[in-house]
């Protein structure tokens, strides 16, 4: 949602909230408190949605990069690791785990 539309919707919601609270409570103090609470809540929700969109686009680009890397490794014909290398790695991990308390 563009920022301009967000601002219009924000003011519309805040004004309708203020009018509703005023007619229900007849208290300016309650109107100010609830309106400020709604303002904060809506801004946090907008900020969270922007962060979610950034996170989603970042995950999508990473998935695309992984797919490209996977495709290029298939083309090169990469070989699986040698059995001796796997055994050496297993021995190293076992030795390290024995040293840990």
């Amino acid at each position: 949602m563009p920022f301009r539309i967000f601002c219009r919707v924000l003011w519309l919601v805040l004004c309708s909230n203020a009018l509703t609270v005023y007619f229900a409570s007849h208290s300016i103090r309650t109107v100010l408190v609830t309106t400020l609470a709604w303002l904060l809540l809506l801004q946090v929700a907008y900020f969270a949605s922007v962060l979610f969109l950034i996170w989603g686009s970042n995950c999508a680009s990473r998935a695309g990069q992984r797919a490209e890397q996977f495709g290029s490794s298939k083309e090169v014909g990469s070989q699986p690791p040698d059995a001796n290398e796997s055994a050496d790695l297993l021995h190293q991990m076992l030795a390290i785990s024995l040293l840990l308390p």
Side-chain angles (χ1 to χ4, degrees):
M1 172 185 309
F3 186 70
R4 210 179 242 177
I5 295 174
F6 169 74
C7 286
R8 288 179 184 163
V9 170
L10 178 69
W11 287 113
L12 179 68
V13 168
L14 291 178
C15 289
S16 63
N17 176 51
L19 288 173
T20 303
V21 170
Y22 180 73
F23 286 126
S25 68
H26 297 290
S27 170
I28 297 295
R29 186 176 197 180
T30 307
V31 169
L32 290 175
V33 170
T34 57
T35 303
L36 289 175
W38 272 102
L39 178 66
L40 181 64
L41 179 69
L42 291 173
Q43 286 180 348
V44 167
Y46 183 77
F47 183 71
S49 66
V50 169
L51 286 179
F52 179 75
L53 289 173
I54 292 171
W55 175 75
S57 67
N58 192 15
C59 287
S61 68
R62 283 185 184 172
Q65 289 173 351
R66 285 189 197 131
E68 289 175 6
Q69 290 174 353
F70 181 73
S72 65
S73 68
K74 285 277 194 181
E75 293 169 1
V76 172
S78 63
Q79 298 293 327
D82 189 17
N84 289 335
E85 291 175 11
S86 298
D88 288 341
L89 181 62
L90 182 62
H91 289 290
Q92 289 174 357
M93 290 173 57
L94 181 61
I96 290 172
S97 67
L98 291 175
L99 293 175
L100 295 175

